[in-house]
mmCIF file of all heavy atoms in Angstrom:
data_model
loop_
_atom_site.group_PDB
_atom_site.id
_atom_site.type_symbol
_atom_site.label_atom_id
_atom_site.label_comp_id
_atom_site.label_asym_id
_atom_site.label_seq_id
_atom_site.Cartn_x
_atom_site.Cartn_y
_atom_site.Cartn_z
ATOM 1 N N LEU W 15 -9.406 8.078 15.162
ATOM 2 C CA LEU W 15 -9.924 6.704 14.993
ATOM 3 C C LEU W 15 -9.933 6.007 16.411
ATOM 4 O O LEU W 15 -9.491 6.590 17.394
ATOM 5 C CB LEU W 15 -9.109 5.935 14.023
ATOM 6 C CG LEU W 15 -7.607 5.710 14.284
ATOM 7 C CD1 LEU W 15 -7.161 4.399 13.650
ATOM 8 C CD2 LEU W 15 -6.816 6.843 13.803
ATOM 9 N N LYS W 16 -10.452 4.846 16.454
ATOM 10 C CA LYS W 16 -10.485 4.089 17.673
ATOM 11 C C LYS W 16 -9.688 2.726 17.502
ATOM 12 O O LYS W 16 -9.818 2.085 16.465
ATOM 13 C CB LYS W 16 -11.922 3.707 18.083
ATOM 14 C CG LYS W 16 -12.790 4.876 18.511
ATOM 15 C CD LYS W 16 -14.196 4.418 18.872
ATOM 16 C CE LYS W 16 -15.128 5.543 19.323
ATOM 17 N NZ LYS W 16 -14.735 6.092 20.624
ATOM 18 N N ILE W 17 -8.894 2.471 18.475
ATOM 19 C CA ILE W 17 -8.247 1.143 18.529
ATOM 20 C C ILE W 17 -8.595 0.524 19.814
ATOM 21 O O ILE W 17 -8.373 1.057 20.928
ATOM 22 C CB ILE W 17 -6.702 1.289 18.457
ATOM 23 C CG1 ILE W 17 -6.288 1.990 17.119
ATOM 24 C CG2 ILE W 17 -6.027 -0.087 18.504
ATOM 25 C CD1 ILE W 17 -4.768 2.079 16.929
ATOM 26 N N ASP W 18 -9.257 -0.650 19.732
ATOM 27 C CA ASP W 18 -9.773 -1.335 20.945
ATOM 28 C C ASP W 18 -10.663 -0.410 21.826
ATOM 29 O O ASP W 18 -10.543 -0.431 23.047
ATOM 30 C CB ASP W 18 -8.611 -1.922 21.771
ATOM 31 C CG ASP W 18 -7.912 -3.013 21.044
ATOM 32 O OD1 ASP W 18 -8.458 -3.557 20.042
ATOM 33 O OD2 ASP W 18 -6.722 -3.337 21.403
ATOM 34 N N GLY W 19 -11.429 0.434 21.139
ATOM 35 C CA GLY W 19 -12.325 1.319 21.824
ATOM 36 C C GLY W 19 -11.703 2.544 22.404
ATOM 37 O O GLY W 19 -12.396 3.419 22.980
ATOM 38 N N VAL W 20 -10.348 2.751 22.192
ATOM 39 C CA VAL W 20 -9.692 3.920 22.717
ATOM 40 C C VAL W 20 -9.550 4.922 21.589
ATOM 41 O O VAL W 20 -9.105 4.591 20.451
ATOM 42 C CB VAL W 20 -8.335 3.555 23.247
ATOM 43 C CG1 VAL W 20 -7.565 4.775 23.710
ATOM 44 C CG2 VAL W 20 -8.449 2.491 24.391
ATOM 45 N N ASP W 21 -9.932 6.178 21.846
ATOM 46 C CA ASP W 21 -9.785 7.253 20.815
ATOM 47 C C ASP W 21 -8.312 7.582 20.703
ATOM 48 O O ASP W 21 -7.599 7.846 21.686
ATOM 49 C CB ASP W 21 -10.512 8.462 21.274
ATOM 50 C CG ASP W 21 -12.011 8.312 21.205
ATOM 51 O OD1 ASP W 21 -12.496 7.699 20.227
ATOM 52 O OD2 ASP W 21 -12.703 8.693 22.179
ATOM 53 N N VAL W 22 -7.824 7.548 19.478
ATOM 54 C CA VAL W 22 -6.419 7.952 19.169
ATOM 55 C C VAL W 22 -6.400 8.916 18.001
ATOM 56 O O VAL W 22 -7.259 8.885 17.145
ATOM 57 C CB VAL W 22 -5.516 6.715 18.854
ATOM 58 C CG1 VAL W 22 -5.482 5.760 20.035
ATOM 59 C CG2 VAL W 22 -6.046 5.989 17.638
ATOM 60 N N ALA W 23 -5.369 9.759 17.977
ATOM 61 C CA ALA W 23 -5.189 10.661 16.870
ATOM 62 C C ALA W 23 -3.900 10.261 16.174
ATOM 63 O O ALA W 23 -2.890 9.871 16.780
ATOM 64 C CB ALA W 23 -5.010 12.104 17.391
ATOM 65 N N ALA W 24 -3.901 10.352 14.830
ATOM 66 C CA ALA W 24 -2.775 9.877 14.090
ATOM 67 C C ALA W 24 -2.529 10.758 12.838
ATOM 68 O O ALA W 24 -3.470 11.328 12.325
ATOM 69 C CB ALA W 24 -3.003 8.425 13.624
ATOM 70 N N ARG W 25 -1.274 10.822 12.413
ATOM 71 C CA ARG W 25 -1.000 11.347 11.089
ATOM 72 C C ARG W 25 -1.311 10.270 10.140
ATOM 73 O O ARG W 25 -1.097 9.058 10.377
ATOM 74 C CB ARG W 25 0.503 11.761 11.024
ATOM 75 C CG ARG W 25 0.795 12.958 11.901
ATOM 76 C CD ARG W 25 2.325 13.305 11.838
ATOM 77 N NE ARG W 25 3.151 12.291 12.448
ATOM 78 C CZ ARG W 25 3.406 12.226 13.770
ATOM 79 N NH1 ARG W 25 2.906 13.148 14.534
ATOM 80 N NH2 ARG W 25 4.137 11.280 14.269
ATOM 81 N N GLU W 26 -1.804 10.634 8.934
ATOM 82 C CA GLU W 26 -2.365 9.594 8.057
ATOM 83 C C GLU W 26 -1.321 8.649 7.504
ATOM 84 O O GLU W 26 -1.630 7.641 6.951
ATOM 85 C CB GLU W 26 -3.110 10.264 6.937
ATOM 86 C CG GLU W 26 -2.273 11.142 6.037
ATOM 87 C CD GLU W 26 -3.094 11.820 4.979
ATOM 88 O OE1 GLU W 26 -4.305 11.429 4.783
ATOM 89 O OE2 GLU W 26 -2.613 12.774 4.325
ATOM 90 N N HIS W 27 -0.020 9.045 7.608
ATOM 91 C CA HIS W 27 0.966 8.141 7.112
ATOM 92 C C HIS W 27 1.364 7.091 8.181
ATOM 93 O O HIS W 27 2.194 6.198 7.925
ATOM 94 C CB HIS W 27 2.245 8.886 6.701
ATOM 95 C CG HIS W 27 2.989 9.544 7.852
ATOM 96 N ND1 HIS W 27 2.723 10.814 8.236
ATOM 97 C CD2 HIS W 27 3.921 9.064 8.661
ATOM 98 C CE1 HIS W 27 3.515 11.098 9.247
ATOM 99 N NE2 HIS W 27 4.239 10.052 9.523
ATOM 100 N N GLU W 28 0.815 7.183 9.375
ATOM 101 C CA GLU W 28 1.121 6.217 10.424
ATOM 102 C C GLU W 28 0.258 4.951 10.244
ATOM 103 O O GLU W 28 -0.920 4.978 9.944
ATOM 104 C CB GLU W 28 0.808 6.799 11.751
ATOM 105 C CG GLU W 28 1.838 7.835 12.237
ATOM 106 C CD GLU W 28 1.611 8.313 13.675
ATOM 107 O OE1 GLU W 28 0.623 8.980 13.920
ATOM 108 O OE2 GLU W 28 2.466 7.983 14.483
ATOM 109 N N SER W 29 0.925 3.839 10.455
ATOM 110 C CA SER W 29 0.180 2.539 10.337
ATOM 111 C C SER W 29 -0.518 2.230 11.638
ATOM 112 O O SER W 29 -0.237 2.750 12.693
ATOM 113 C CB SER W 29 1.204 1.443 10.004
ATOM 114 O OG SER W 29 2.016 1.189 11.140
ATOM 115 N N ILE W 30 -1.433 1.280 11.556
ATOM 116 C CA ILE W 30 -2.138 0.890 12.777
ATOM 117 C C ILE W 30 -1.160 0.278 13.750
ATOM 118 O O ILE W 30 -1.293 0.486 14.983
ATOM 119 C CB ILE W 30 -3.213 -0.160 12.445
ATOM 120 C CG1 ILE W 30 -4.197 0.467 11.421
ATOM 121 C CG2 ILE W 30 -3.953 -0.705 13.608
ATOM 122 C CD1 ILE W 30 -4.945 1.669 11.910
ATOM 123 N N LEU W 31 -0.177 -0.429 13.257
ATOM 124 C CA LEU W 31 0.835 -0.981 14.157
ATOM 125 C C LEU W 31 1.632 0.066 14.894
ATOM 126 O O LEU W 31 1.778 -0.036 16.132
ATOM 127 C CB LEU W 31 1.809 -1.925 13.386
ATOM 128 C CG LEU W 31 2.892 -2.587 14.178
ATOM 129 C CD1 LEU W 31 2.317 -3.533 15.226
ATOM 130 C CD2 LEU W 31 3.893 -3.322 13.310
ATOM 131 N N GLN W 32 2.002 1.128 14.222
ATOM 132 C CA GLN W 32 2.773 2.276 14.883
ATOM 133 C C GLN W 32 1.839 2.869 15.961
ATOM 134 O O GLN W 32 2.260 3.140 17.083
ATOM 135 C CB GLN W 32 3.127 3.282 13.879
ATOM 136 C CG GLN W 32 4.315 2.868 12.942
ATOM 137 C CD GLN W 32 4.507 3.985 11.901
ATOM 138 O OE1 GLN W 32 3.712 4.203 11.053
ATOM 139 N NE2 GLN W 32 5.712 4.566 11.968
ATOM 140 N N LEU W 33 0.575 3.137 15.579
ATOM 141 C CA LEU W 33 -0.324 3.752 16.554
ATOM 142 C C LEU W 33 -0.531 2.888 17.772
ATOM 143 O O LEU W 33 -0.555 3.377 18.876
ATOM 144 C CB LEU W 33 -1.656 4.051 15.870
ATOM 145 C CG LEU W 33 -1.737 5.164 14.907
ATOM 146 C CD1 LEU W 33 -3.082 5.183 14.196
ATOM 147 C CD2 LEU W 33 -1.533 6.483 15.678
ATOM 148 N N ALA W 34 -0.671 1.584 17.519
ATOM 149 C CA ALA W 34 -0.919 0.710 18.689
ATOM 150 C C ALA W 34 0.344 0.723 19.608
ATOM 151 O O ALA W 34 0.172 0.820 20.818
ATOM 152 C CB ALA W 34 -1.121 -0.727 18.142
ATOM 153 N N GLN W 35 1.490 0.662 19.020
ATOM 154 C CA GLN W 35 2.719 0.675 19.825
ATOM 155 C C GLN W 35 2.882 1.970 20.613
ATOM 156 O O GLN W 35 3.258 1.999 21.758
ATOM 157 C CB GLN W 35 3.950 0.406 18.965
ATOM 158 C CG GLN W 35 3.999 -1.008 18.404
ATOM 159 C CD GLN W 35 5.094 -1.242 17.421
ATOM 160 O OE1 GLN W 35 5.642 -0.310 16.858
ATOM 161 N NE2 GLN W 35 5.494 -2.497 17.222
ATOM 162 N N GLU W 36 2.504 3.092 19.921
ATOM 163 C CA GLU W 36 2.626 4.393 20.596
ATOM 164 C C GLU W 36 1.675 4.494 21.755
ATOM 165 O O GLU W 36 1.898 5.202 22.732
ATOM 166 C CB GLU W 36 2.314 5.544 19.603
ATOM 167 C CG GLU W 36 3.409 5.719 18.599
ATOM 168 C CD GLU W 36 2.969 6.612 17.435
ATOM 169 O OE1 GLU W 36 1.827 7.168 17.533
ATOM 170 O OE2 GLU W 36 3.701 6.807 16.455
ATOM 171 N N ASN W 37 0.518 3.714 21.675
ATOM 172 C CA ASN W 37 -0.506 3.834 22.765
ATOM 173 C C ASN W 37 -0.429 2.634 23.689
ATOM 174 O O ASN W 37 -1.425 2.345 24.373
ATOM 175 C CB ASN W 37 -1.902 3.939 22.098
ATOM 176 C CG ASN W 37 -2.129 5.354 21.490
ATOM 177 O OD1 ASN W 37 -2.493 6.272 22.154
ATOM 178 N ND2 ASN W 37 -1.833 5.476 20.152
ATOM 179 N N GLY W 38 0.609 1.899 23.651
ATOM 180 C CA GLY W 38 0.803 0.760 24.592
ATOM 181 C C GLY W 38 -0.039 -0.407 24.310
ATOM 182 O O GLY W 38 -0.377 -1.220 25.212
ATOM 183 N N ILE W 39 -0.566 -0.627 23.078
ATOM 184 C CA ILE W 39 -1.363 -1.743 22.720
ATOM 185 C C ILE W 39 -0.511 -2.779 21.986
ATOM 186 O O ILE W 39 0.191 -2.452 21.011
ATOM 187 C CB ILE W 39 -2.535 -1.278 21.779
ATOM 188 C CG1 ILE W 39 -3.408 -0.263 22.519
ATOM 189 C CG2 ILE W 39 -3.309 -2.490 21.287
ATOM 190 C CD1 ILE W 39 -4.424 0.391 21.599
ATOM 191 N N PHE W 40 -0.495 -3.997 22.538
ATOM 192 C CA PHE W 40 0.368 -5.046 21.991
ATOM 193 C C PHE W 40 -0.225 -5.703 20.768
ATOM 194 O O PHE W 40 -1.358 -6.201 20.844
ATOM 195 C CB PHE W 40 0.668 -6.085 23.063
ATOM 196 C CG PHE W 40 1.469 -7.255 22.543
ATOM 197 C CD1 PHE W 40 2.812 -7.165 22.291
ATOM 198 C CD2 PHE W 40 0.768 -8.483 22.325
ATOM 199 C CE1 PHE W 40 3.535 -8.272 21.804
ATOM 200 C CE2 PHE W 40 1.491 -9.574 21.828
ATOM 201 C CZ PHE W 40 2.875 -9.469 21.570
ATOM 202 N N ILE W 41 0.491 -5.705 19.670
ATOM 203 C CA ILE W 41 0.120 -6.458 18.457
ATOM 204 C C ILE W 41 1.393 -7.287 18.073
ATOM 205 O O ILE W 41 2.402 -6.703 17.858
ATOM 206 C CB ILE W 41 -0.255 -5.541 17.301
ATOM 207 C CG1 ILE W 41 -1.486 -4.727 17.634
ATOM 208 C CG2 ILE W 41 -0.520 -6.410 16.030
ATOM 209 C CD1 ILE W 41 -1.923 -3.764 16.562
ATOM 210 N N PRO W 42 1.226 -8.626 18.049
ATOM 211 C CA PRO W 42 2.396 -9.409 17.759
ATOM 212 C C PRO W 42 2.837 -9.315 16.297
ATOM 213 O O PRO W 42 2.049 -9.098 15.404
ATOM 214 C CB PRO W 42 1.933 -10.875 18.015
ATOM 215 C CG PRO W 42 0.467 -10.800 17.780
ATOM 216 C CD PRO W 42 0.025 -9.468 18.269
ATOM 217 N N THR W 43 4.150 -9.350 16.074
ATOM 218 C CA THR W 43 4.710 -9.290 14.711
ATOM 219 C C THR W 43 6.106 -9.905 14.772
ATOM 220 O O THR W 43 6.782 -9.867 15.814
ATOM 221 C CB THR W 43 4.713 -7.890 14.159
ATOM 222 O OG1 THR W 43 5.249 -7.908 12.830
ATOM 223 C CG2 THR W 43 5.600 -6.979 15.026
ATOM 224 N N LEU W 44 6.531 -10.447 13.680
ATOM 225 C CA LEU W 44 7.886 -10.981 13.513
ATOM 226 C C LEU W 44 8.663 -10.312 12.385
ATOM 227 O O LEU W 44 9.887 -10.164 12.439
ATOM 228 C CB LEU W 44 7.856 -12.481 13.318
ATOM 229 C CG LEU W 44 7.535 -13.275 14.560
ATOM 230 C CD1 LEU W 44 7.300 -14.769 14.210
ATOM 231 C CD2 LEU W 44 8.706 -13.240 15.603
ATOM 232 N N CYS W 45 7.998 -9.955 11.310
ATOM 233 C CA CYS W 45 8.758 -9.369 10.214
ATOM 234 C C CYS W 45 8.969 -7.874 10.391
ATOM 235 O O CYS W 45 9.867 -7.317 9.782
ATOM 236 C CB CYS W 45 8.082 -9.688 8.850
ATOM 237 S SG CYS W 45 6.430 -8.885 8.636
ATOM 238 N N HIS W 46 8.152 -7.201 11.199
ATOM 239 C CA HIS W 46 8.308 -5.758 11.418
ATOM 240 C C HIS W 46 9.507 -5.466 12.309
ATOM 241 O O HIS W 46 9.774 -6.200 13.281
ATOM 242 C CB HIS W 46 7.068 -5.208 12.054
ATOM 243 C CG HIS W 46 7.281 -3.773 12.630
ATOM 244 N ND1 HIS W 46 7.171 -2.659 11.845
ATOM 245 C CD2 HIS W 46 7.585 -3.347 13.829
ATOM 246 C CE1 HIS W 46 7.406 -1.616 12.593
ATOM 247 N NE2 HIS W 46 7.684 -2.017 13.792
ATOM 248 N N LEU W 47 10.249 -4.437 11.962
ATOM 249 C CA LEU W 47 11.311 -3.949 12.829
ATOM 250 C C LEU W 47 11.471 -2.471 12.575
ATOM 251 O O LEU W 47 11.694 -2.074 11.441
ATOM 252 C CB LEU W 47 12.615 -4.682 12.570
ATOM 253 C CG LEU W 47 13.700 -4.504 13.657
ATOM 254 C CD1 LEU W 47 13.302 -5.009 15.047
ATOM 255 C CD2 LEU W 47 15.017 -5.255 13.251
#
Side-chain angles (χ1 to χ4, degrees):
L15 61 153
K16 289 181 182 289
I17 301 181
D18 293 342
V20 177
D21 291 316
V22 297
R25 292 178 291 275
E26 62 183 348
H27 67 269
E28 287 188 290
S29 70
I30 301 302
L31 181 62
Q32 286 176 296
L33 283 173
Q35 291 175 339
E36 289 169 6
N37 287 276
I39 298 170
F40 173 75
I41 298 179
T43 182
L44 284 169
C45 65
H46 166 84
L47 192 62

